Each structure stands twice: as C-alpha cells, then as structure tokens.
Amino acid sequence: GDFMNTYHPVEMGFRWMAFNLCFHLLERLGVARLSMRYEKIVTYPRAEIERVAEYVGDEFADDDFAFLHGEGVDLGIHHTVSGNPMRFDQGTILLALDEAWKTQLQPLHRRLVSIFTFPLLLCYGYLRPARARQ
C-alpha cells in the first residue's frame, strides 16, 4: 500500500501549530471559521455534517445521509488530485479513531510535542478530561 509522507513528531507539532494559527489569523481577518474535531467526525459523522450544513445555511433530507451506516461510510468514485492514498478506496470504509500515537509515539517525543502545542491544546479543550470535551 501507499503511505503518506511522514514527519518527525516535533516537526508535525510545528506544522499543526502553524496551520491552526493561520486559521485563527484568517478568522481575525473576517473569514468565517467553524472548528471540527477529528474525534467527533469519526464518532458522530452525521451530527458533524449536520452542524456544518447548519453553519453554511444548507439543509439535508434523511436520504442525503444514505452513505452513512453503522460504523462506516459508503464511498463511490472520486476524482481527487492530492491527499491520503485511501482517497481512492471505494465501497464501505469503517470509521474508527486512530489512537496508535498514544502507545507508539516515544515518550520523549510525546512530551516535546505536548509542550510545544500546549497553548492550542488548552484552547481547543484537549487538556480537559475526555468526557468534558464532548
């Protein structure tokens, strides 16, 4: 299988901070912004899609969500240029949280990334207990 480029954890922490700070800057410049959490999209895809639709003023009928079922989504053919290699997958794709980083990331790297990204982790509520983030 094809894999995406990988980066050193600290470099990825820098990238995460830079991208997110750019979105905050855009908001300060008057660009509308709606934050979405990966964990919520994977766990509650319909609710998150409905939240986005409400934000942009769109409405969906129940049959618009026919591609969602149980713990998966049905994907058809898509024409994309770049992204995760799984973008070419078709059929039923299971949605599941990828939390391998919790056990596979070296403790030193995890601490360094947490220290560096602390301001936005705090801002986004990732430092609260999981139940409080829901």
Side-chain angles (χ1 to χ4, degrees):
D2 292 336
F3 294 98
M4 294 179 58
N5 291 338
T6 57
Y7 301 92
H8 188 278
V10 175
E11 180 182 355
M12 200 61 236
F14 276 107
R15 288 171 161 266
W16 186 81
M17 286 293 290
F19 291 142
N20 282 281
L21 290 172
C22 284
F23 285 116
H24 284 276
L25 176 61
L26 286 171
E27 184 178 39
R28 290 191 141 237
L29 295 173
V31 176
R33 178 178 75 102
L34 176 67
S35 295
M36 298 181 72
R37 296 172 78 105
Y38 158 78
E39 299 87 352
K40 288 195 91 169
I41 294 168
V42 171
T43 308
Y44 309 105
R46 181 174 177 150
E48 286 300 287
I49 294 169
E50 288 174 335
R51 191 169 69 89
V52 172
E54 182 179 329
Y55 183 77
V56 299
D58 251 348
E59 292 185 20
F60 286 100
D62 278 340
D63 60 336
D64 291 327
F65 293 97
F67 69 98
L68 292 172
H69 58 86
E71 296 177 350
V73 295
D74 287 328
L75 299 181
I77 297 173
H78 301 280
H79 302 280
T80 63
V81 176
S82 180
N84 189 310
M86 76 178 294
R87 72 188 179 281
F88 299 117
D89 291 352
Q90 295 177 31
T92 300
I93 307 296
L94 295 179
L95 296 176
L97 290 175
D98 180 357
E99 295 185 320
W101 62 271
K102 290 182 175 181
T103 57
Q104 295 178 8
L105 191 60
Q106 293 178 18
L108 174 62
H109 291 158
R110 191 168 171 186
R111 279 192 293 277
L112 288 171
V113 171
S114 295
I115 289 168
F116 180 72
T117 59
F118 179 82
L120 288 182
L121 292 176
L122 184 63
C123 176
Y124 296 155
Y126 280 106
L127 300 179
R128 290 192 302 257
R131 206 178 245 318
R133 284 185 244 139
Q134 308 270 335

